[in-house]
Amino acid sequence: MFSNVSARWRRRLRVAVAVWAVLLVAAAFAASQATVREQIEAAEARAVMDAVLGEAAGSLTGAAVLAAGPLHAEACEVTPARPGLSLERTLQVSGATADQVDALVERFSLQLMTEGAEEASWSGETEDYIRVRINAPGTDPVGGRWSEPVAVQAVTGCRPLGAPVASFAPEPPPEAEASWEFGALDCPGGEALSSWTEPVEAQPMRVHETTGGCV
């Protein structure tokens, strides 16, 4: 390469190529920063995610038993030089009606992903970039009601670190075991849903104690 030009021009071309490569890397880095969910930090994204699930709980209360799963956090990289967190929480609904699930699908503009005898699932993203997924395992609704617990999962995606992401857990019930985890959600009307659960294979979680709820 550059064999037909003078040594002076070869040096200039090499410098130009190096500068161009640096500019391309900088442009890619800036573009990746610009798409980091409007730069909302993890703590704020957690509040938005919980508000989404709180709204879902409000629409499901009355004809179902609700349980708020624990907050799960996973380390991630927003960019190669910027660490972040991805947060996730699940709202479990026992006894949900087909109409309630359909209303949630419509509210969050979710798309049908799978439909069959084993499971139906819908997925989508809110205008605040919270990913929402609904899983309804088991057979189709019998008598207008899902026979197995329905899971409404919300995920923030990788968000920049900033203020600490608070995770509060009260004193567990006297009979609680080490596997029990605490989860809580604030409802749109100011009420709260609090639950002690543990993960199991058959469904998102086994509910040991759940109190409160949305009106």
Side-chain angles (χ1 to χ4, degrees):
M1 186 177 181
F2 307 145
S3 60
N4 296 326
V5 297
S6 66
R8 182 179 181 182
W9 275 103
R10 285 200 297 270
R11 286 194 298 272
R12 289 181 177 179
L13 287 170
R14 290 191 182 100
V15 171
V17 170
V19 170
W20 179 246
V22 170
L23 289 174
L24 286 176
V25 172
F29 184 78
S32 65
Q33 283 189 315
T35 58
V36 180
R37 306 309 195 189
E38 298 182 345
Q39 299 296 301
I40 295 177
E41 295 181 346
E44 185 178 352
R46 179 263 179 92
V48 176
M49 176 187 72
D50 281 354
V52 168
L53 289 179
E55 181 179 348
S59 69
L60 291 162
T61 296
V65 177
L66 305 180
L71 178 69
H72 292 295
E74 183 177 349
C76 58
E77 289 185 348
V78 177
T79 68
R82 195 174 187 188
L85 277 180
S86 179
L87 306 172
E88 175 267 323
R89 190 191 297 279
T90 298
L91 173 70
Q92 182 170 286
V93 192
S94 300
T97 67
D99 289 343
Q100 287 176 321
V101 173
D102 290 344
L104 274 183
V105 169
E106 182 177 355
R107 164 62 186 86
F108 295 115
S109 301
L110 306 181
Q111 301 298 314
L112 180 65
M113 304 298 292
T114 62
E115 184 177 25
E118 295 185 357
E119 180 183 73
S121 65
W122 300 261
S123 181
E125 192 172 74
T126 71
E127 59 184 13
D128 295 311
Y129 306 110
I130 301 297
R131 294 198 297 271
V132 178
R133 185 181 182 94
I134 298 176
N135 289 323
T139 59
D140 291 337
V142 177
R145 193 177 299 275
W146 285 95
S147 58
E148 299 291 336
V150 173
V152 184
Q153 181 190 59
V155 183
T156 66
C158 194
R159 303 300 180 106
L161 291 174
V165 178
S167 183
F168 168 76
E171 189 70 23
E175 70 278 12
E177 299 180 4
S179 59
W180 292 21
E181 298 176 294
F182 179 75
L185 287 171
D186 291 329
C187 306
E191 309 88 0
L193 172 68
S194 300
S195 308
W196 286 96
T197 63
E198 66 173 325
V200 291
E201 290 187 5
Q203 57 198 55
M205 48 199 173
R206 178 179 292 119
V207 181
H208 292 284
E209 183 176 304
T210 187
T211 58
C214 308
V215 177

